[in-house]
Amino acid sequence: MLELFRKEQPVSYIFLLLYCLLLRLAVFFGETNWKPLSTDPLSELIYRTVGFNNLTTNIIGTLLIFIQAVIIIAMVNKNKITRENSMFAGLFYILVVTLFPDFNYFSPALLANTAVILMLFNIFSAYKKNGPNSNVFNAGIFAGMAMMLDFSYGIFFVAGLVGFSVVKAFKFVERIQYIIGFVIPIFLTATYYFLIDQLPMFQEMFFNNLKWLDWFVPMNYITYIKIIVFGIILLYILLNFNNYGKKNSVHAQRKVEVLFWFIAFSALTFLFQPGIRLDHLLVMSVPVGILLGFSILAIENKQIAEVLHIILIATSFLFQYIL
């Protein structure tokens, strides 16, 4: 199956969409009373329009994941982060965000992932650029949007500062541009809530979305298994850290370093996000999915890579249809 996505071809995107639909098929047939635990300004406005747990949101969520994967593929291939162009980064992002049933909802984290991907795209595009740089301002805007979609994603504002420092000489003026870009989505969202006479609700969201070690995870054997599976994937990525730089250019190594910084900062959100459930692991899914794709692509024995891929798919099906 991986051979369909080893090279970037137009027809492969059709298979990528079918792949995404296949892994999310369970969400169209199961019944659930899922609802977001936290209320976030932009996500709340979206939920008021389309809801958060119905057929429409299931379709939108599937298309959103596919679009996110396409952007990831374009970002990785445009920036020559891997030695060869492939679709693995987007493919394994889809696999990560559909790994557990807990991920299969139209959650604020899934929405915010779009902004994180676009933020990374701009950070990578700013590599060694001198002079006026719109990428810095754009990244700030997407960082602010991510925070408005899921408050805990505000940590990526700091991750963005570190990311730019890794890929370029991050000047003082550019830092100001980045901060201004970050503030704009927050200001515009607050203005809209003011216009509809709900500014106090907007203000309350900030206070309600900060709690220390407030975990809402039902601890049973299935939960433990899921945490162990995700932990194994993280460990596998970390153990492959030295392999990412082999035979790659310096600019590729720096961008991989940025992805690891994003994982590190996203882990901090488990300290202050209220009502943490397993679906909060989606905060790590963008860098984890990309790096997992890099790891599988780097395996020289294609049969081993295929086996690992099948094991991950089987794991997803196991959790969605059996456990």
Side-chain angles (χ1 to χ4, degrees):
M1 184 186 295
L2 285 178
E3 290 305 309
L4 293 172
F5 307 102
R6 197 169 287 275
K7 299 293 183 183
E8 186 182 11
Q9 304 173 39
V11 69
S12 296
Y13 284 97
I14 298 175
F15 289 114
L16 189 70
L17 178 59
L18 294 175
Y19 181 89
C20 182
L21 180 60
L22 176 66
L23 290 177
R24 278 182 55 86
L25 202 57
V27 77
F28 291 96
F29 299 105
E31 293 185 3
T32 178
N33 58 355
W34 180 90
K35 62 180 181 179
L37 274 179
S38 61
T39 305
D40 303 278
L42 277 182
S43 296
E44 176 65 18
L45 296 179
I46 293 172
Y47 291 148
R48 289 180 186 180
T49 304
V50 298
F52 52 77
N53 188 17
N54 52 53
L55 178 61
T56 300
T57 55
N58 291 337
I59 294 173
I60 294 174
T62 302
L63 292 175
L64 180 62
I65 292 172
F66 171 71
I67 292 170
Q68 290 171 345
V70 171
I71 298 172
I72 287 173
I73 292 167
M75 174 180 69
V76 170
N77 291 343
K78 178 183 176 182
N79 287 277
K80 305 294 182 184
I81 303 178
T82 54
R83 285 173 287 172
E84 54 185 297
N85 286 353
S86 77
M87 302 175 68
F88 276 30
L91 179 77
F92 282 91
Y93 168 75
I94 292 175
L95 189 49
V96 168
V97 297
T98 57
L99 190 59
F100 306 135
D102 312 75
F103 294 173
N104 280 343
Y105 302 107
F106 196 55
S107 63
L110 183 62
L111 291 167
N113 276 353
T114 308
V116 172
I117 294 166
L118 293 171
M119 184 183 174
L120 280 168
F121 206 127
N122 279 277
I123 292 174
F124 292 166
S125 299
Y127 178 72
K128 283 193 173 180
K129 278 189 179 179
N130 297 315
N133 193 340
S134 61
N135 296 119
V136 174
F137 180 73
N138 293 340
I141 288 178
F142 290 124
M145 287 179 60
M147 181 177 174
M148 291 294 93
L149 289 164
D150 188 320
F151 185 80
S152 64
Y153 276 63
I155 196 70
F156 288 114
F157 168 75
V158 183
L161 290 171
V162 174
F164 277 117
S165 299
V166 171
V167 301
K168 69 189 302 292
F170 200 27
K171 300 177 182 177
F172 176 76
V173 174
E174 291 175 324
R175 294 173 189 267
I176 299 301
Q177 290 177 329
Y178 179 71
I179 294 171
I180 292 173
F182 176 75
V183 170
I184 285 176
I186 301 173
F187 173 76
L188 292 178
T189 306
T191 300
Y192 179 79
Y193 273 88
F194 172 77
L195 292 175
I196 62 175
D197 199 26
Q198 292 184 1
L199 186 60
M201 178 185 292
F202 176 85
Q203 295 170 332
E204 287 177 8
M205 291 180 191
F206 279 84
F207 297 105
N208 293 338
N209 279 309
L210 276 175
K211 290 185 180 179
W212 186 254
L213 294 178
D214 183 30
W215 292 24
F216 195 70
V217 182
M219 300 311 292
N220 50 50
Y221 80 96
I222 295 178
T223 302
Y224 289 129
I225 294 173
K226 290 176 180 176
I227 293 173
I228 290 171
V229 168
F230 200 87
I232 290 172
I233 292 174
L234 274 176
L235 182 62
Y236 178 67
I237 289 170
L238 292 173
L239 290 177
N240 274 281
F241 178 77
N242 292 329
N243 293 330
Y244 297 128
K246 287 182 178 179
K247 299 180 182 179
N248 279 352
S249 58
V250 174
H251 81 85
Q253 295 176 29
R254 290 187 178 182
K255 291 167 186 177
V256 167
E257 184 180 340
V258 171
L259 292 172
F260 275 100
W261 275 112
F262 267 61
I263 291 177
F265 278 104
S266 63
L268 295 176
T269 63
F270 288 87
L271 299 176
F272 61 82
Q273 170 72 9
I276 286 181
R277 301 180 298 200
L278 274 176
D279 58 346
H280 187 67
L281 286 171
L282 285 172
V283 72
M284 296 182 172
S285 60
V286 174
V288 167
I290 295 172
L291 291 170
L292 181 59
F294 292 176
S295 299
I296 302 299
L297 184 63
I299 297 175
E300 295 182 1
N301 190 319
K302 294 182 179 180
Q303 291 183 338
I304 294 178
E306 195 69 64
V307 169
L308 289 176
H309 180 227
I310 292 173
I311 289 174
L312 287 171
I313 292 177
T315 302
S316 176
F317 286 165
L318 178 68
F319 284 119
Q320 296 196 50
Y321 295 103
I322 299 177
L323 293 181

